[in-house]
Amino acid sequence: MLPSMTSEPEQQIGVGTQDAFQRLWTPHRMAYIQGENKPTGPGADDGCPFCSIPAKSDEDGLIVRRGEQVYAVLNLYPYNGGHLMTVPYRHVADYTELTGPETAELAELTKQAMTALRTASGAHGFNIGMNQGTVAGAGIAAHLHQHIVPRWGGDTNFMPVVGHTKVLPQLLADTRKMLAESWPSA
């Protein structure tokens, strides 16, 4: 316990029931909770962030690698540090709508992402998958994207369970740079 912390409840006016927990405020999460950057409709011209990201610089768009059909980008609201997504440039909602070359490149960039994450951060394992449709949990259902979430032994701690808060030890821009430098040669 830090010297400034005590096991005694603190006076915390206006923040709920007094307890012995310190508060870690994450106001940036409100953007995700309130649906900021979500498309207004299913079309590519309805504010789809996955359609607008490729027009940005790699640094501004958090793009780690660009392919011919698909790109790899950091998740703006990551589950873990280094949480990447592989995204086709073409605005399609369903995996079955991908062409053969898009499917192949999505798979290849996913493999490369795993290699880069192992090199850059020593990831022990991965959660890889797609949520197809809003009812399946897709935050942006109109544009297909595959998640690559690095995992480490013991990476789940009390913060997400008790505090409903993710603690990420690195800024997204620094993570993007580290992964781009660790990306394997094609």
Side-chain angles (χ1 to χ4, degrees):
M1 192 176 313
L2 297 173
S4 64
M5 295 175 61
T6 69
S7 59
E8 297 299 315
E10 291 184 19
Q11 180 66 25
Q12 299 177 41
I13 298 171
V15 296
T17 307
Q18 294 181 18
D19 56 31
F21 290 103
Q22 298 294 315
R23 301 286 187 248
L24 178 61
W25 300 107
T26 56
H28 64 279
R29 295 284 302 157
M30 284 307 292
Y32 179 76
I33 292 166
Q34 294 174 340
E36 192 173 301
N37 298 322
K38 281 201 177 181
T40 57
D45 295 330
D46 292 329
C48 177
F50 295 135
C51 288
S52 64
I53 287 171
K56 299 178 181 182
S57 71
D58 290 354
E59 292 77 13
D60 289 342
L62 299 174
I63 296 171
V64 179
R65 177 64 72 193
R66 292 175 190 259
E68 292 180 27
Q69 311 276 329
V70 178
Y71 65 97
V73 62
L74 284 172
N75 189 319
L76 192 55
Y77 308 104
Y79 180 77
N80 266 352
H83 178 170
L84 288 165
M85 295 176 292
T86 47
V87 184
Y89 291 109
R90 193 165 61 92
H91 186 86
V92 297
D94 196 87
Y95 186 68
T96 61
E97 297 176 50
L98 291 179
T99 65
E102 287 170 329
T103 303
E105 192 169 65
L106 186 87
E108 185 58 34
L109 278 183
T110 298
K111 288 170 45 179
Q112 291 175 7
M114 292 172 65
T115 299
L117 284 160
R118 282 189 180 118
T119 300
S121 67
H124 299 148
F126 298 90
N127 293 119
I128 297 173
M130 299 177 204
N131 300 321
Q132 293 282 273
T134 305
V135 298
I140 299 175
H143 197 132
L144 176 82
H145 54 285
Q146 178 164 261
H147 295 266
I148 301 113
V149 181
R151 301 302 303 264
W152 298 268
D155 68 4
T156 302
N157 59 38
F158 73 94
M159 289 300 289
V161 176
V162 175
H164 304 284
T165 301
K166 266 293 184 185
V167 179
L168 300 171
Q170 190 174 47
L171 295 172
L172 289 174
D174 295 338
T175 303
R176 191 217 66 80
K177 185 176 185 295
M178 178 182 72
L179 288 173
E181 291 170 354
S182 297
W183 203 270
S185 301

